[in-house]
Amino acid sequence: MKSPAGVSKSESNYRGTRLRNQVRSIAAIPLRRIIRVLLGVEAASFFFAATIHAGMLISGYEHHEAMTAESVIGTVLLGGFVITWLHSRSMFTIAIIVQAFALLGTLVGIFTIIIGIGPRTVPDIAYHISIVVVLAVGLELARRGRRTETM
């Protein structure tokens, strides 16, 4: 059956589906880049914090347990970053998993600050608050990307 424009219904459906798929793939490219940049920045920031707590950059902020935790979280994020290149079809799921791990670890760090075990300096508190925001944004973007990827 032809429409007034002379296009069959099946051809119209095909064109509509094809256009939606093209729009999704175009929209996913920048989001993939954003996710990878976020994972890289997050990993680098945790490694940077770890070097500060190791006393390598600034003295007076040494804290072995914080250094260890930040190194582990940074390694997980870096691993996630690498895996997104190796298994790009699963990148949003990978990003969700590693950022959720990092967020959980950061919340544990905030808890240690609150109860007095962790370092309680202004830079530590500011870092924890800011990285929670960055991780939350990254998780939401990865969640949105995963939702559009499965459509």
Side-chain angles (χ1 to χ4, degrees):
M1 174 183 250
K2 297 274 186 178
S3 70
V7 178
S8 71
K9 187 174 181 179
S10 64
E11 187 178 350
S12 175
N13 286 342
Y14 171 75
R15 285 181 182 172
T17 301
R18 188 170 163 217
L19 179 61
R20 281 191 301 276
N21 288 339
Q22 287 174 341
V23 168
R24 283 186 192 133
S25 66
I26 291 168
I29 293 170
L31 184 56
R32 289 176 172 275
R33 286 185 188 146
I34 291 167
I35 293 294
R36 286 187 177 123
V37 167
L38 275 172
L39 290 174
V41 168
E42 291 162 357
S45 76
F46 276 100
F47 287 131
F48 183 72
T51 59
I52 290 173
H53 283 128
M56 297 169 94
L57 296 176
I58 304 169
S59 63
Y61 293 99
E62 292 84 357
H63 195 278
H64 180 73
E65 292 80 7
M67 177 204 62
T68 302
E70 290 156 350
S71 296
V72 168
I73 294 169
T75 301
V76 169
L77 287 165
L78 182 60
F81 173 79
V82 170
I83 293 170
T84 64
W85 288 99
L86 300 174
H87 300 285
S88 65
R89 294 187 77 189
S90 304
M91 84 164 294
F92 295 116
T93 301
I94 293 162
I96 289 169
I97 292 168
V98 298
Q99 289 179 112
F101 175 83
L103 182 59
L104 178 63
T106 304
L107 294 174
V108 169
I110 290 172
F111 179 73
T112 64
I113 290 170
I114 291 169
I115 64 173
I117 297 173
R120 299 180 100 182
T121 65
V122 171
D124 277 306
I125 294 167
Y127 175 73
H128 279 84
I129 291 169
S130 61
I131 199 66
V132 163
V133 171
V134 172
L135 289 166
V137 168
L139 274 167
E140 176 58 21
L141 290 174
R143 186 187 67 76
R144 286 183 186 180
R146 185 170 181 227
R147 185 177 52 205
T148 60
E149 189 174 60
T150 58
M151 290 181 150

